[in-house]
Amino acid sequence: GAVVSQHPSRVICKSGTSVKIECRSLDFQATTMFWYRQFPKQSLMLMATSNEGSKATYEQGVEKDKFLINHASLTLSTLTVTSAHPEDSSFYICSAGDRGRTGQPQHFGDGTRLSIL
Amino acid sequence: GESVGLHLPTLSVQEGDNSIINCAYSNSASDYFIWYKQESGKGPQFIIDIRSNMDKRQGQRVTVLLNKTVKHLSLQIAATQPGDSAVYFCAEKNMRFGAGTRLTVKP
């Protein structure tokens, strides 16, 4: 079945560091990927929609200069948390659907747990 | 704004019982819904989906019911097992998630 790989699974770094998270679709092409963050015991909050070859679409309230998204190929999207601070600590999850079609189930990575000291 | 939400934050059932998890949505134009299961520390897994031209769809031990009149859908799990313990989310086509229901199955 469709597999989405997310890397790294866990990262701990100092405040002020920029952190890059990768999301790869392993056996299908994805023109659209979605990035979420999730706090403990809460739902997934959609941050942005990553579009291959164009700019990401950010949800209201999400700082695009803080959370840089690049979707340079049909199998890879990256989320960079720039100048991370403790309040950015969270569980970040990506999803992708085959050929970016809506109306089809998305496949999720296993998330990246980001801890900023 | 439009949203998808869940009625109950937690649900506890006995092993072998049937479970029903509810979800309300507010966008009457929504035409596709998905149920996901999320285990601790993992990403959500697809369970079942339904399009608005259907009222009911069945999978293995799971059934989704859609009531467009009251903008409500439910996920029914038959013969609930300990492995079904997780948080369940409904989502719309726009990939926005509801609050989630934590299902705990007691042996």
Side-chain angles (χ1 to χ4, degrees), chain A residues 34 36 38 41-44 46 59 91 93 95 102-106 108-111 113, chain B residues 32 34 36 38 41-46 49 51 89 93-100 102:
Chain A
F34 299 90
Y36 298 83
Q38 185 178 32
K41 299 185 179 181
Q42 293 189 21
S43 185
L44 283 75
L46 180 64
E59 294 296 296
F91 192 51
I93 310 173
S95 74
T102 55
Q104 298 290 332
Q106 298 285 311
F108 285 81
D110 270 340
R113 187 161 302 283
Chain B
Y32 177 66
I34 318 156
Y36 289 97
Q38 185 181 29
K42 295 186 177 180
Q45 297 172 278
F46 169 78
D49 57 1
R51 301 189 188 281
F89 296 98
K93 185 168 68 176
N94 62 12
M95 290 307 295
R96 290 183 177 82
F97 280 64
R102 178 173 297 281

Side-chain angles (χ1 to χ4, degrees), chain B residues 16-42:
Chain B
D17 287 352
N18 296 334
S19 302
I20 299 176
I21 300 170
N22 297 303
C23 181
Y25 63 95
S26 54
N27 183 359
S28 56
S30 293
D31 61 0
Y32 177 66
F33 303 90
I34 318 156
W35 280 99
Y36 289 97
K37 170 187 180 183
Q38 185 181 29
E39 297 176 333
S40 181
K42 295 186 177 180

Side-chain angles (χ1 to χ4, degrees), chain A residues 5-32:
Chain A
S5 174
Q6 202 171 329
H7 179 80
S9 58
R10 180 181 294 270
V11 59
I12 302 172
C13 58
K14 295 181 179 179
S15 184
T17 306
S18 292
V19 179
K20 180 184 286 189
I21 302 170
E22 294 185 346
C23 180
R24 294 181 185 273
S25 55
L26 296 185
D27 53 359
F28 64 97
Q29 294 183 331
T31 56
T32 303

Side-chain angles (χ1 to χ4, degrees), chain B residues 83-104:
Chain B
D84 295 327
S85 294
V87 179
Y88 290 81
F89 296 98
C90 64
E92 293 180 84
K93 185 168 68 176
N94 62 12
M95 290 307 295
R96 290 183 177 82
F97 280 64
T101 294
R102 178 173 297 281
L103 175 65
T104 301

